[in-house]
Amino acid sequence: MARRHVESHRSDRAGWLRAAVLGANDGIVSVAGLVVGVAAGGGTPGAILSAGIAGTVAGAMSMAAGEYVSVRSQADIEEADLETERRELRELPDAELAELAGLFEKRGLSPELARQVAVQLTAHDALAAHAREELGINEVARARPLQAASASAAAFCAGAALPIAVTLLAPPQGVAWAVTGTTIAGLFGSGALAAWAGGANLWRGALRVGGWGAAAMAAAHLIGRLFDVAV
């Protein structure tokens, strides 16, 4: 008995995964950078914690708003293009059918077969056929503003929780180094997790994210030491 062929693809994760990875990494780096900078500048434990919490709230809202606005703009463009296709299908059905057949010919089908495929797809769902073949719009890759905003904000808070927790648990004199170490470790883990979810190389993803995080921590510590002002 033939075994059933089952394929697993990850393209449907692209929208929320991009927003989640960006949010988590930004949450770790931004809040850790604030904590390290204030700590290196001589800030009191209360000031360090306050900076971290304020950065978490502001950052999560900023990420959610930014993701929503950008993805909403993409969704508006898609809707405008689909509305144009609806009008053309209603007013110029023959021209749209010929256009769809031409797209299939460019992909290598014979004129006769391209015409047959275009006719059958038009009968099934003309708008979906043109959206997919002419505009490159499909359900897997459709813009979803609320999903992107929610994923980004939640991931930012999850990432920011790491430096906040370390700030609460570490001794005051060692906050900067403790946050730096755990942040870099967390970023390596975040990069590896994102690479795994996207089907990429784990080590490459971990090094890419962790390396940039280490540079950000070094810059934050340097700025804090440069000013060295107790808060």
Side-chain angles (χ1 to χ4, degrees), residues 81-168:
D81 284 343
L82 289 174
E83 183 57 37
T84 299
E85 285 301 315
R86 289 190 187 94
R87 184 176 65 252
E88 291 178 348
L89 285 168
R90 185 171 59 252
E91 298 175 356
L92 302 167
D94 293 338
E96 287 296 299
L97 179 62
E99 182 181 33
L100 187 60
L103 292 173
F104 289 123
E105 284 187 52
K106 291 180 180 179
R107 292 191 176 189
L109 273 65
S110 66
E112 296 78 13
L113 182 57
R115 176 81 180 183
Q116 292 177 19
V117 173
V119 168
Q120 292 189 29
L121 288 178
T122 298
H124 176 69
D125 191 335
L127 181 61
H130 281 270
R132 182 175 57 252
E133 304 300 333
E134 183 179 349
L135 304 175
I137 299 174
N138 58 69
E139 282 304 312
V140 173
R142 285 292 298 273
R144 295 177 173 84
L146 288 177
Q147 182 190 67
S150 300
S152 182
F156 187 97
C157 291
L162 177 62
I164 293 294
V166 175
T167 301
L168 289 170

